[in-house]
Amino acid sequence: MIKFNPIKTTDPSYPFVENLLHESFPVEERRDDEMQRYNTDSNPLFTAYLITDDAENVGLITLWKLTGFLYVEHLATSPSVRNKGYGKMIMQALLSNFPDSIIVLEVELPEDELSKRRIGFYERNGFTLSERPYVQPPYRKSGSPIPMYIMYSGTDSIDEMFETITSEIHKNVYLV
């Protein structure tokens, strides 16, 4: 059974979470380890979850509880369980763990097969694509902004909230 376990850096399984972040996301798509650890241990808006299936570590998800919605910052499954249906099970667990929440996440523009498949995956799992222009600020001072789209669940539309949502993400997650 899929379970989201809140985790701190003192947990013996935290290295699994940090290593999976490194394996799954290029450096420009994540903050530095020191800031990630600070958020994990001290930021009241942020929760890092170790995802388990019974006793097996299968993934991670990081969530921000922002004003009126949850923001999924990172979601990854362990390479050892990829293509075994865990992505779908994790998405179902996400929606059932937070049934009354609007949930948003960022996706890359559908410019290649992988990004198109990723958008399709989220759509099949209850998310809707907003094609309004959105730019992900850089995680690092030397980084560049990345054009993206927002996907959402838990509401019919985010049109009226779009500016508030993106402003909250920029202010709290990217500190801009």
Side-chain angles (χ1 to χ4, degrees):
M1 180 170 148
I2 296 295
K3 186 173 179 195
F4 288 15
N5 306 283
I7 192 167
K8 299 291 185 188
T9 60
T10 54
D11 189 291
S13 293
Y14 186 77
F16 169 85
V17 170
E18 190 167 275
N19 290 335
L20 186 55
L21 270 171
H22 291 185
E23 291 171 13
S24 303
F25 299 95
V27 70
E28 62 272 5
E29 293 181 17
R30 57 183 163 83
R31 66 186 47 81
D32 65 52
D33 291 341
E34 183 178 315
M35 192 62 179
Q36 187 71 21
R37 292 175 191 144
Y38 168 81
N39 283 338
T40 298
D41 289 336
S42 304
N43 191 324
L45 301 176
F46 179 86
T47 306
Y49 293 92
L50 169 67
I51 302 170
T52 57
D53 183 12
D54 294 324
E56 184 179 7
N57 294 342
V58 297
L60 72 91
I61 188 167
T62 59
L63 296 177
W64 291 82
K65 186 173 182 166
L66 302 175
T67 305
F69 67 100
L70 293 175
Y71 167 67
V72 177
E73 183 177 22
H74 292 107
L75 169 63
T77 56
S78 174
S80 65
V81 300
R82 288 190 185 143
N83 299 314
K84 294 183 179 177
Y86 277 98
K88 181 179 180 176
M89 287 187 278
I90 290 167
M91 295 308 294
Q92 290 170 346
L94 174 66
L95 297 175
S96 66
N97 285 341
F98 304 99
D100 298 321
S101 298
I102 295 170
I103 302 173
V104 301
L105 51 86
E106 300 165 338
V107 291
E108 296 163 342
L109 300 180
E111 296 174 337
D112 60 33
E113 193 57 36
L114 181 60
S115 56
K116 289 174 187 174
R117 284 184 24 223
R118 189 171 292 125
I119 289 169
F121 167 78
Y122 287 123
E123 287 175 332
R124 287 188 304 279
N125 285 283
F127 282 76
T128 302
L129 182 68
S130 170
E131 293 189 34
R132 290 183 65 171
Y134 171 77
V135 175
Q136 179 192 69
Y139 276 101
R140 298 164 184 349
K141 288 185 174 145
S142 62
S144 299
I146 303 170
M148 295 241 183
Y149 282 139
I150 297 284
M151 295 191 78
Y152 61 92
S153 71
T155 185
D156 291 336
S157 172
I158 60 167
D159 287 345
E160 291 182 20
M161 303 178 299
F162 189 85
E163 297 303 323
T164 302
I165 287 171
T166 58
S167 175
E168 281 275 315
I169 293 170
H170 287 183
K171 178 177 79 170
N172 291 296
V173 176
Y174 298 103
L175 306 176
V176 294

